[in-house]
Amino acid sequence: MFNGEIISTRAVAAYSRVTETEMGDEGAVLVLTGGVSVPASAVESLREAR
């Protein structure tokens, strides 16, 4: 936002640690740090934690 006006709605990449996986009604779901869940189909890549 800039001066209270939305200037973009473009999707951006985000990174988070996966803490668990679950099988939901629509398939695999990844649970991220903080408890946020995302469908595995929405994830573009995974990498080993460093």
Side-chain angles (χ1 to χ4, degrees):
M1 293 188 101
F2 180 75
N3 289 333
E5 182 179 340
I6 296 173
I7 57 173
S8 178
T9 57
R10 183 176 57 151
V12 298
Y15 301 90
S16 183
R17 184 174 298 270
V18 175
T19 59
E20 65 181 278
T21 59
E22 301 174 344
M23 285 303 292
D25 294 337
E26 310 255 336
V29 175
L30 306 180
V31 180
L32 309 178
T33 300
V36 174
S37 298
V38 295
S41 61
V43 175
E44 292 186 14
S45 67
L46 295 172
R47 67 178 182 203
E48 184 176 357
R50 295 181 187 189

